[in-house]
Amino acid sequence: MTKKEIAERLKEIKSHIKDDMEDFAAIDFKELALEIHNDRKYHLVIENFNKIKKLVSNQVPFYCFELAYAFENQNDIESSEIVYEYLNAENGENAAVLNNLSNIKKGKRKFKEAFELISKAYEIAPDDEVISNNYDSLFQIISDLNEREQKFKHSLTYLERENKFVINKLKTFIQNAKKDKDFKNGLMPIPKWKFKVLMVTDDDKAESLRNQWLDKNYIVDTGERGDYYVIVYEINPFLEKAISELTFKVINPNWILGIEKLNTKDLEELNYYRNLKKINKVNRQFKGILKRDYDELTFNFLVKSNKSTIILAGSLIETLLIYHLKKKKIKKISYEINTRTVSKDLLEATLNDLLKYLEQNKMLENHFVHLGNISRIFRNYVHPGKELRETEELDDAKANLCYISASELINSLI
């Protein structure tokens, strides 16, 4: 069909519209659209439709399969969907309309709607190879989605066992992801470095949480890849609502804050790595005990378990002093108290015995003896009677003194 022929036909259609014969105009336009469609000049279908719709009060009667197909061909998916939706509502028995509308829904990841449409098309035209292939493809997608949905729902059972730190990170992650320009329909390409930004935490915890969330199906690797081959993740669609409905069991807020401080920067400021390096140099007999006690001491200090910190600091210092004396080949100790001599085997001596011996024999500088005594005095609070009798509390200040004392003695005695 030539441009001249199209122009003449369009003139007739406009004439019908001018004479208030829009029904006839619509019939003529649909015939014209079919002929242009058959010539595969899809853009001309749209051009002529745009010329006509300016002249009519209601453009809907001019909707036809060829117009919807033309919009789709020219990548105007929204307009195409509107026309197909109208045609399907008017005549749901058209397999071609059902198939093409299903493809649009599939492209928008509205898989359930797409499958309903293609199922109807398949009932009408089961022998159509294109429709049959589309049906099989969507059937597999729906099967996979149903399986994934069951996994998503099952993953919610883990939420009740999560601590407040993890719940807060999940909430923060979801809220920040939904604000991101790349987030769409629960999907988002996320490079590894971006997890710490979305969670608002450090690299180590972000990596640990990402792996845990993948295992629990809080997030899923879709198998799709975005720009630069970045993994596209799907966030469990039931997660946000489940978190909002979750009633938290009470968790000590100091534990949460302490876990936040479990990162290399804060541990570095506590000289943890400096001291650990020194502990790793001691012999096998002492290394395991010192490392265990120092790790437990540091963890309890970070989560503000003050009594545990004070007791562990005293125990660690006692082990350090035994190690220090054993290096000097000392097996027995003795010291004077009230004109009486006290003698003990090294491994039977208490912290008080060790400090007295070192002080009287001038084997330890006075300020180190004082550091040891701080922990010795406070460690007596291990006995509940003392704590009940005393008016002083085992507060942060005492725990801080004991932790610093232990840290300084590690640095000095090893």
Side-chain angles (χ1 to χ4, degrees):
M1 178 174 271
T2 65
K3 287 185 178 181
K4 184 178 179 181
E5 290 172 325
I6 293 173
E8 289 175 356
R9 296 279 292 277
L10 187 62
K11 186 177 179 181
E12 292 176 13
I13 294 169
K14 288 180 177 180
S15 177
H16 287 321
I17 294 170
K18 187 177 181 182
D19 295 336
D20 292 328
M21 300 170 62
E22 288 187 5
D23 289 346
F24 288 104
I27 293 170
D28 287 349
F29 173 76
K30 290 173 183 178
E31 291 176 355
L32 174 62
L34 176 60
E35 292 181 46
I36 298 173
H37 174 88
N38 290 337
D39 288 340
R40 298 186 178 182
K41 296 177 180 178
Y42 308 116
H43 66 286
L44 292 179
V45 174
I46 298 171
E47 285 180 16
N48 285 283
F49 172 75
N50 287 336
K51 290 175 183 177
I52 290 168
K53 74 176 184 178
K54 298 174 183 177
L55 306 175
V56 298
S57 57
N58 183 7
Q59 65 189 36
V60 170
F62 293 83
Y63 286 173
C64 57
F65 176 85
E66 291 74 25
L67 177 62
Y69 188 94
F71 280 132
E72 187 177 2
N73 178 267
Q74 299 299 300
N75 292 318
D76 187 350
I77 302 302
E78 297 304 320
S79 296
S80 177
E81 184 176 15
I82 290 169
V83 178
Y84 277 133
E85 290 278 17
Y86 168 78
L87 296 174
N88 184 50
E90 289 293 301
N91 180 16
E93 300 299 312
N94 188 307
V97 170
L98 289 164
N99 177 75
N100 291 6
L101 184 55
S102 173
N103 285 336
I104 289 175
K105 300 294 186 184
K106 179 182 177 183
K108 291 186 171 185
R109 302 187 68 84
K110 298 179 179 179
F111 297 117
K112 290 184 179 179
E113 291 182 48
F115 186 64
E116 288 177 9
L117 291 163
I118 200 64
S119 295
K120 291 178 183 176
Y122 187 66
E123 287 178 11
I124 296 167
D127 297 326
D128 186 299
E129 186 176 355
V130 172
I131 290 175
S132 178
N133 289 338
N134 287 341
Y135 175 84
D136 290 342
S137 172
L138 275 166
F139 180 83
Q140 185 59 53
I141 289 172
I142 290 296
S143 297
D144 292 343
L145 283 175
N146 287 337
E147 183 179 348
R148 184 177 292 180
E149 184 174 302
Q150 291 306 311
K151 288 181 178 178
F152 278 148
K153 288 180 177 178
H154 179 264
S155 76
L156 302 182
T157 60
Y158 296 115
L159 277 180
E160 294 180 0
R161 298 194 289 273
E162 300 289 9
N163 60 45
K164 195 171 182 180
F165 170 77
V166 174
I167 294 295
N168 284 339
K169 289 306 167 191
L170 276 169
K171 287 174 66 176
T172 301
F173 173 77
I174 293 170
Q175 289 167 0
N176 287 336
K178 290 173 74 173
K179 295 175 187 174
D180 195 281
K181 62 181 178 62
D182 294 324
F183 180 86
K184 189 175 182 181
N185 297 324
L187 301 173
M188 183 177 171
I190 311 175
K192 270 194 175 183
W193 63 265
K194 197 167 186 175
F195 276 95
K196 70 175 182 180
V197 177
L198 296 172
M199 295 177 188
V200 189
T201 189
D202 58 73
D203 287 314
D204 292 339
K205 282 196 279 295
E207 177 65 9
S208 175
L209 287 172
R210 184 186 75 92
N211 291 332
Q212 291 176 44
W213 294 356
L214 283 168
D215 288 341
K216 295 174 181 177
N217 287 307
Y218 295 161
I219 57 174
V220 170
D221 179 345
T222 63
E224 299 176 23
R225 297 294 181 267
D227 294 339
Y228 307 107
Y229 210 64
V230 171
I231 296 173
V232 176
Y233 294 89
E234 181 176 6
I235 299 174
N236 186 327
F238 307 106
L239 197 58
E240 188 172 22
K241 183 180 179 183
I243 290 172
S244 69
E245 295 174 350
L246 192 63
T247 301
F248 296 119
K249 294 180 179 178
V250 177
I251 296 178
N252 189 328
N254 286 331
W255 297 353
I256 307 303
L257 294 172
I259 289 171
E260 284 279 15
K261 286 182 172 294
L262 278 175
N263 59 72
T264 53
K265 180 176 178 294
D266 285 320
L267 288 172
E268 188 73 52
E269 289 178 359
L270 290 175
N271 293 316
Y272 172 80
Y273 296 109
R274 179 201 72 182
N275 293 339
L276 194 62
K277 189 180 291 186
K278 285 181 170 286
I279 289 172
N280 283 329
K281 292 178 182 178
V282 307
N283 59 45
R284 186 181 298 176
Q285 182 184 12
F286 284 89
K287 183 191 297 184
I289 296 173
L290 287 170
K291 186 176 185 306
R292 179 200 64 199
D293 287 359
Y294 184 50
D295 281 346
E296 291 185 15
L297 169 65
T298 300
F299 178 80
N300 280 281
F301 176 68
L302 288 173
V303 299
K304 294 188 178 297
S305 295
N306 292 336
K307 185 170 183 177
S308 297
T309 298
I310 290 166
I311 293 168
L312 284 165
S315 177
L316 179 63
I317 290 171
E318 189 172 316
T319 307
L320 282 168
L321 297 179
I322 292 171
Y323 167 76
H324 178 66
L325 291 170
K326 197 161 187 180
K327 269 202 316 181
K328 297 181 178 298
K329 310 297 183 184
I330 295 171
K331 296 181 180 180
K332 288 183 176 291
I333 64 166
S334 62
Y335 59 91
E336 300 295 325
I337 181 168
N338 297 328
T339 71
R340 182 172 63 89
T341 301
V342 177
S343 297
K344 289 188 179 182
D345 288 337
L346 179 61
L347 297 183
E348 293 179 355
T350 65
L351 179 56
N352 183 54
D353 295 328
L354 296 167
L355 289 168
K356 290 285 187 186
Y357 172 77
L358 289 164
E359 183 180 23
Q360 289 182 13
N361 288 274
K362 300 189 183 305
M363 296 178 68
L364 200 63
E365 293 180 32
N366 283 339
H367 66 279
F368 289 131
V369 174
H370 295 324
L371 287 176
N373 270 315
I374 288 171
S375 289
R376 178 187 65 79
I377 294 167
F378 293 142
R379 192 172 70 160
N380 287 332
Y381 280 91
V382 69
H383 304 294
K386 179 175 177 59
E387 189 171 359
L388 290 168
R389 290 192 307 271
E390 302 290 338
T391 56
E392 286 187 297
E393 293 183 4
L394 295 178
D395 55 17
D396 290 352
K398 293 181 179 63
N400 290 347
L401 281 171
C402 290
Y403 184 83
I404 293 168
S405 298
S407 177
E408 290 303 306
L409 284 168
I410 290 171
N411 189 44
S412 302
L413 298 181
I414 299 178

